[in-house]
Amino acid sequence: MKIALAQINPTVGDFTGNLAKIISASQRAAGSGARLTIFSELVLCGYPPADLLDKPSFLARCATAVDELRQATATLPTAVLIGVALPAPAGSGKRAVNAAVLMGKGQILLEQHKMLLPFYDVFDEQRYFSPATSQRVIEFEGERLAITICEDAWNDKNFWPQRLYPIDPVEDLMRQKPTVLVNISASPFWHGKRDIRRHMLFTIARRHKIPVFLCNQVGGNDSLIFDGSSFGLAADGTLLAQAASFREDIVMADSATPTGISPMPPGSKDDAESEAAYQALVLGTRDYVLKSGFSKVLVSLSGGIDSALVTAIAVDALGAENVLTIGMPSQYSSTGSVDDSRKLAANLGVRFETMPIAGLYEEYSHTLEPLFAGTRPDLTEENLQSRIRATLMMALSNKFSSLVLTTGNKSEMAVGYCTLYGDMAGALAVIGDLVKTRVYALSRWVNRNGEIIPQAILTKAPSAELRPDQKDTDSLPPYEVLDPILEAYVERYETTAQIVAAYGFPSAVVEHVVHLVERTEYKRQQAAPVLKVTPKSFGMGRRFPIAARVQV
């Protein structure tokens, strides 16, 4: 059977646009001889729909969209497999089911519901969906087709050292002796995720001696980025088809003709980490802006590495003509920082404007002087500069209908080295899931074919430039020390003792960093959405109390 894997970029709630994409891709696949065209999980309504699933009108529109698709594809020589949310059976206690619907020749051939509903990290499907209680293999085009939905294929006891569920839907389906296994997914990207996904399905294909086809969503939806990377495997694990990462694609494969592209050994290497992360952030930025109904963005250029990388990502995402950069030097800003910003803007072909804030700062200080009488200058005055800049950026955002991209990194957000209602103000935290050392790695990747980010920006000591001769290391450990501590504590939940034992850092340093992380939760929960590229980012997948005194 000739199969098409059609990974498209759906928008949550855009039934008209999603239907048009699905129909167009189905027609193209049919023209290439596909007998089955596979789309991703919840592709018809977009993933994740979140609390839209609580609206009966949304689920009713899902059902009518299925019928519209059935009619639109009735004359095509290919069957179509899509993911969609549908009303749950009466008495299930939930409003919806996460369904895979197979249709062909104007008929609904199968409606299979998802069994395993993830409820960890960014997933909260148990909040909305009723799980399937059974599943069945369907005869189709001379094959016996087993259909699974994302998590249903992620509980293999032979692959995972610790399983999250007591049942394995794939193992149960294998008792019905299928000849082809399909998995439709909305599996978000993070570092190493593609390699895990391939290895896991390779293991299933080899053990059960069955061809496996995965169609994964591509595109950005709020904080989540979906890489696509759909593929087909022969029963021996040979790679039959491989779709692109981070863009829409349609690829063809024949389940009965294992003339593979290349062997797929366990643990095959993913693309270079920096390249993958950069492409993910470009896609996530583009889709966040465009799907939110905007086309232009603003970036505050400080002359530092963070704002430089964000600007490069924004240009690749939206085009230089849609990016406006603003320099807002204060009395503490170095001439070099302004010159470096201007050079970066020229290298990227973006417009750069300056708005000095020294005068505004003096006015603010004069206004506050009566109430500040008898106090010494401290962080208050430093943060005031950042908040003046935020006010100006938001004024430009309002006037020109442009979204402000914040430029803070994960290291700063973790320890609170950022100003609430200042540099944290904006619509999207583009690099909020990159620790500082990763920011440098991606910046070097940007310069792989020549200087885009000026060398002076890459080599200067990091500084907020909010007081004379300020350096980040005045307040924080060097990033080569800080970042491993943060990755261990924030991403892997390691204890202070474990971190000290693993890295040999002084316990006082580790304890200080952990204290900073815990005391600044209130800032992070007011931050702009963070594009997720690591297993544990700040945002919807990391939920901690604000008013707490953590002692572990």
Side-chain angles (χ1 to χ4, degrees):
M1 177 172 56
K2 198 168 187 181
I3 294 173
L5 301 175
Q7 63 178 41
I8 66 171
N9 185 347
T11 298
V12 173
D14 183 11
F15 292 96
T16 302
N18 296 343
L19 272 168
K21 283 177 175 279
I22 294 168
I23 292 167
S24 175
S26 298
Q27 291 169 339
R28 288 172 55 195
S32 298
R35 304 298 293 171
L36 173 63
T37 304
I38 303 171
F39 293 87
S40 60
E41 179 183 13
L42 297 188
V43 66
L44 196 51
C45 58
Y47 184 95
D51 278 9
L52 287 170
L53 293 165
D54 285 336
K55 295 187 173 185
S57 59
F58 182 81
L59 293 174
R61 183 66 183 95
C62 286
T64 59
V66 169
D67 195 57
E68 291 171 34
L69 182 60
R70 177 188 60 78
Q71 295 179 55
T73 58
T75 60
L76 294 180
T78 181
V80 175
L81 176 63
I82 55 105
V84 64
L86 292 173
S92 68
K94 301 289 184 179
R95 289 189 184 275
V97 292
N98 185 337
V101 178
L102 178 65
M103 60 186 73
K105 296 182 171 59
Q107 302 294 318
I108 300 298
L109 306 177
L110 179 68
E111 180 183 315
Q112 174 64 57
H113 301 167
K114 191 173 184 177
M115 293 195 99
L116 305 184
L117 303 176
F119 195 64
Y120 55 86
D121 193 46
V122 299
F123 305 107
D124 53 7
E125 292 191 26
Q126 292 179 30
R127 174 183 175 100
Y128 308 105
F129 296 120
S130 175
T133 56
S134 64
Q135 46 188 359
R136 67 182 179 91
V137 168
I138 183 173
E139 297 280 351
F140 179 78
E141 294 284 332
E143 301 279 6
R144 290 179 56 79
L145 198 60
I147 297 171
T148 58
I149 304 174
C150 203
E151 191 86 350
D152 289 346
W154 287 70
N155 201 42
D156 181 359
K157 65 178 180 292
N158 295 294
F159 182 81
W160 299 104
Q162 181 176 349
R163 298 198 304 168
L164 297 179
Y165 313 91
I167 61 172
D168 180 0
V170 171
E171 193 172 71
D172 291 345
L173 280 167
M174 289 304 144
R175 297 188 182 98
Q176 300 180 45
K177 302 192 183 306
T179 58
V180 175
L181 176 65
V182 172
N183 185 258
I184 64 172
S185 281
S187 176
F189 170 82
W190 42 258
H191 296 321
K193 183 72 167 291
R194 290 180 295 177
D195 195 46
I196 291 173
R197 202 186 292 136
R198 294 169 188 164
H199 186 188
M200 178 188 70
L201 293 180
F202 169 89
T203 302
I204 289 174
R206 287 286 296 270
R207 187 174 67 258
H208 295 293
K209 298 181 174 54
I210 188 172
V212 176
F213 294 88
L214 163 78
C215 188
N216 189 37
Q217 180 173 308
V218 69
N221 282 318
D222 295 349
S223 296
L224 301 183
I225 303 163
F226 300 88
D227 58 282
S229 311
S230 305
F231 59 85
L233 300 174
D236 63 356
T238 302
L239 185 64
L240 299 174
Q242 176 67 68
S245 294
F246 306 111
R247 66 176 174 85
E248 293 185 320
D249 198 10
I250 300 178
V251 292
M252 308 290 294
D254 193 327
S255 62
T257 311
T259 56
I261 300 170
S262 62
M264 176 66 87
S268 66
K269 292 297 181 182
D270 212 340
D271 295 334
E273 194 174 272
S274 293
E275 179 180 5
Y278 188 85
Q279 290 177 347
L281 294 174
V282 168
L283 175 60
T285 301
R286 179 188 303 122
D287 276 0
Y288 185 92
V289 173
L290 298 181
K291 290 180 179 181
S292 296
F294 293 84
S295 60
K296 298 180 181 297
V297 296
L298 301 163
V299 182
S300 173
L301 279 188
S302 66
I305 193 72
D306 298 320
S307 60
L309 179 59
V310 169
T311 304
I313 290 168
V315 168
D316 280 342
L318 300 163
E321 69 279 9
N322 293 313
V323 180
L324 172 60
T325 59
I326 307 294
M328 292 173 283
S330 74
Q331 62 269 43
Y332 304 119
S333 300
S334 65
T335 301
S337 291
V338 177
D339 291 342
D340 292 342
S341 296
R342 186 172 285 110
K343 185 176 181 181
L344 171 75
N347 289 349
L348 290 168
V350 300
R351 179 182 168 194
F352 176 65
E353 300 289 347
T354 59
M355 295 190 299
I357 68 165
L360 286 171
Y361 178 71
E362 291 301 321
E363 288 292 329
Y364 271 72
S365 298
H366 178 69
T367 300
L368 290 166
E369 189 173 357
L371 291 175
F372 283 6
T375 66
R376 298 174 62 84
D378 55 16
L379 281 174
T380 305
E381 284 75 13
E382 294 182 26
N383 291 340
L384 184 57
Q385 298 166 64
S386 181
R387 290 178 175 130
I388 290 169
R389 291 178 173 125
T391 299
L392 296 176
M393 291 298 287
M394 293 312 300
L396 293 171
S397 174
N398 288 159
K399 183 63 69 174
F400 299 114
S401 296
S402 302
L403 294 181
V404 175
L405 303 180
T406 72
T407 59
N409 59 63
K410 192 172 190 175
S411 302
E412 295 168 345
M413 290 183 68
V415 297
Y417 193 63
C418 46
T419 304
L420 199 57
Y421 322 123
D423 59 300
M424 293 178 70
L428 180 68
V430 175
I431 59 170
D433 202 22
L434 297 179
V435 293
K436 189 77 168 190
T437 48
R438 292 278 296 143
V439 170
Y440 279 101
L442 263 68
S443 297
R444 289 190 292 270
W445 184 86
V446 169
N447 282 1
R448 66 198 181 283
N449 295 322
E451 185 178 275
I452 301 296
I453 297 175
Q455 189 64 23
I457 292 178
L458 281 163
T459 56
K460 70 174 66 173
S463 171
E465 292 193 329
L466 297 175
R467 64 175 183 264
D469 302 317
Q470 184 183 30
K471 300 290 185 292
D472 288 5
T473 49
D474 296 341
S475 305
L476 301 173
Y479 287 110
E480 292 74 16
V481 174
L482 177 63
D483 289 352
I485 297 173
L486 293 176
E487 288 173 327
Y489 187 70
V490 173
E491 296 181 13
R492 300 192 296 274
Y493 294 157
E494 294 179 13
T495 66
T496 299
Q498 288 173 320
I499 297 169
V500 170
Y503 294 97
F505 299 139
S507 60
V509 172
V510 178
E511 289 168 0
H512 176 61
V513 170
V514 168
H515 174 68
L516 291 176
V517 173
E518 295 301 337
R519 68 178 289 192
T520 52
E521 184 64 30
Y522 74 99
K523 285 189 178 184
R524 290 187 291 273
Q525 292 199 26
Q526 297 180 70
V530 173
L531 291 179
K532 177 181 171 66
V533 292
T534 69
K536 185 62 67 175
S537 64
F538 293 126
M540 61 189 292
R542 187 179 184 275
R543 307 173 191 182
F544 283 88
I546 296 174
R549 295 179 181 177
V550 179
Q551 299 175 356
V552 294

